[in-house]
Amino acid sequence: MPYLQTLESIVLSTIAPAAQATDRDAAFPRAAIAALGQAGLLGLISAEAVGGAGKGLAEAARVVERIARACPSTAMVVCMHYCATVVIEEFGAEATRREIAAGRHLGTLAWSDSGSRSHFWAPMGSARRDGGEVVIDGSKTMVTSAAEADSYVWSTGPADGAGASSLWLVGRDAAGLGEAKFFDGLGLRGNRSSPLTATGVRVAAEALLGTDGGGFDIMVGKVLPVFATLSASCSLGLMDAALEAACGHVTASKLEHLDSALADLPTIRAYLARARIQADMARTLRDDTVAALAGGRADAMLRVMQVKAAAAEAALEVTDTAMRVCGGAAFRKDLGIERYFRDARAASVMAPTSDVLYDFIGKAVCGMPVFG
């Protein structure tokens, strides 16, 4: 798999060395994104017809997982770029598709509204037609790569009143776009996940992605499977990194007065064993989700809802275990575990949150309409 070899080189030369500074300074990983673009990895799932690699969800999951082992902030930027690419590939202009395929265009989603928050499928913002243009107003609570992405797949209510929502491609330089507040948070500090506002933003009518009012079907049917799988992959990567660091610490650190390593304690090994099982179960579910989607299985959407929640909650427990077994050393930034601990907090509260997904899954297994 040449793309993984290329990725490994970028991770070792660019992403991993900058990870601590990316977190410490809340710095957007521009060098990493530029390197990934130049290597063709931002165009990984773009069609070969427009110059992309023509790969699918399985390959994208491997890329996000590997990046997350080094820098979850960078992995989330790539995750959201791939989610935007899915929409643009099917409904966007060829010129934009070619720019993405060439690695010169970074996309992202702008869905969670201030009014409906993590209920991303119910945008509160508006779109109204004005001649040959559409005027967009609204505010988004959190947009990954805010003010850094070249375009946003932006959700609003329908322009003509039919359907649940509409999606528009909004360029970064559109007049009326503003970053309401710079993100300075607990974890994923480098992904520039900030609020954005649109005040009288004008886009061409052709900026509509799909049909007016048809945004819900795209969100749930096309993007949610990709986002859930890639979010889970990010959780998997950071779990592996936290466990690797924890195992390295407990095997190398000694209780001098007993002439034994921390790993000689059965309690330490038991904690790590349970954590390894949790991570491996989440990975098995991720892989089965990819297989279910590829095979068009009847349980594919159930797997989609399960995989993000399962991986997010596993990451909370696994990184907590890593902190626990390493004791006070885990609080040191040079060990890296506290960074993964903080980064792991994001997935469970990122829309759709784990609690929302539990409700969806419960409805599904009870034979009830999920969005009813």
Side-chain angles (χ1 to χ4, degrees):
M1 299 179 183
Y3 75 95
L4 289 179
Q5 295 172 3
T6 301
L7 174 63
E8 189 67 20
S9 175
I10 295 171
V11 167
L12 296 178
S13 66
T14 306
I15 298 175
Q20 275 193 321
T22 296
D23 174 74
R24 182 190 66 235
D25 303 333
F28 189 78
R30 294 181 185 87
I33 297 304
L36 292 168
Q38 291 168 6
L41 290 167
L42 293 185
L44 183 75
I45 62 172
S46 296
E48 292 180 349
V50 293
K55 304 298 183 182
L57 182 57
E59 291 84 1
R62 293 188 187 98
V63 167
V64 170
E65 181 180 339
R66 178 61 187 97
I67 295 173
R69 284 171 52 198
C71 180
S73 287
T74 304
M76 188 51 60
V77 170
V78 175
C79 165
M80 300 307 285
H81 169 74
Y82 286 154
C83 289
T85 299
V86 167
V87 184
I88 297 168
E89 265 297 289
E90 183 160 353
F91 303 107
E94 182 177 327
T96 306
R97 293 173 59 207
R98 289 190 176 278
E99 286 295 293
I100 292 173
R104 296 189 292 265
H105 187 108
L106 181 70
T108 194
L109 304 179
W111 286 3
S112 295
D113 276 29
S114 299
S116 52
R117 308 189 74 82
S118 63
H119 293 192
F120 66 87
W121 59 89
M124 303 296 293
S126 65
R128 59 179 177 86
R129 299 192 186 278
D130 185 13
E133 294 182 317
V134 172
V135 182
I136 295 173
D137 289 283
S139 60
K140 303 297 181 181
T141 55
M142 285 290 174
V143 178
T144 297
S145 306
E148 296 287 351
D150 295 291
S151 66
Y152 309 95
V153 176
W154 191 286
S155 63
T156 68
D160 296 323
S165 61
S166 296
L167 300 177
W168 312 87
L169 190 65
V170 178
R172 177 178 63 187
D173 297 326
L177 272 185
E179 185 178 12
K181 183 179 181 181
F182 181 78
F183 178 70
D184 185 14
L186 176 72
L188 294 184
R189 288 172 49 77
N191 76 347
R192 193 66 178 271
S193 187
S194 301
L196 282 183
T197 59
T199 306
V201 170
R202 290 180 172 270
V203 297
E206 293 75 25
L208 177 65
L209 298 166
T211 60
D212 189 28
F216 178 86
D217 290 341
I218 298 172
M219 288 175 163
V220 175
K222 298 183 182 298
V223 180
L224 182 57
V226 174
F227 172 69
T229 304
L230 297 186
S231 175
S233 299
C234 187
S235 294
L236 287 170
L238 68 84
M239 280 191 278
D240 277 354
L243 282 171
E244 181 180 355
C247 291
H249 176 76
V250 301
T251 53
S253 299
K254 299 193 72 173
L255 297 168
E256 299 289 349
H257 65 297
L258 299 176
D259 191 29
S260 65
L262 294 178
D264 289 328
L265 294 171
T267 51
I268 294 288
R269 297 198 302 270
Y271 272 120
L272 290 170
R274 286 192 292 268
R276 184 71 265 171
I277 290 169
Q278 287 177 302
D280 288 346
M281 286 194 300
R283 176 171 285 101
T284 299
L285 181 57
R286 192 278 310 272
D287 292 345
D288 190 62
T289 302
V290 172
L293 289 165
R297 281 176 14 203
D299 64 345
M301 283 307 295
L302 179 60
R303 288 288 183 263
V304 165
M305 293 184 289
Q306 290 171 328
V307 71
K308 178 181 179 293
E313 298 306 307
L316 293 178
E317 296 187 30
V318 167
T319 54
D320 182 73
T321 294
M323 292 288 292
R324 179 186 294 266
V325 300
C326 293
F331 288 78
R332 298 200 319 259
K333 291 186 180 299
D334 61 298
L335 193 58
I337 291 175
E338 62 85 30
R339 174 164 59 90
Y340 292 108
F341 176 85
R342 289 185 287 105
D343 288 346
R345 310 297 105 179
S348 66
V349 297
M350 191 178 297
T353 67
S354 292
D355 288 333
V356 166
L357 287 169
Y358 290 150
D359 183 42
F360 287 172
I361 294 163
K363 287 179 177 179
V365 299
C366 289
M368 300 166 63
V370 171
F371 289 94

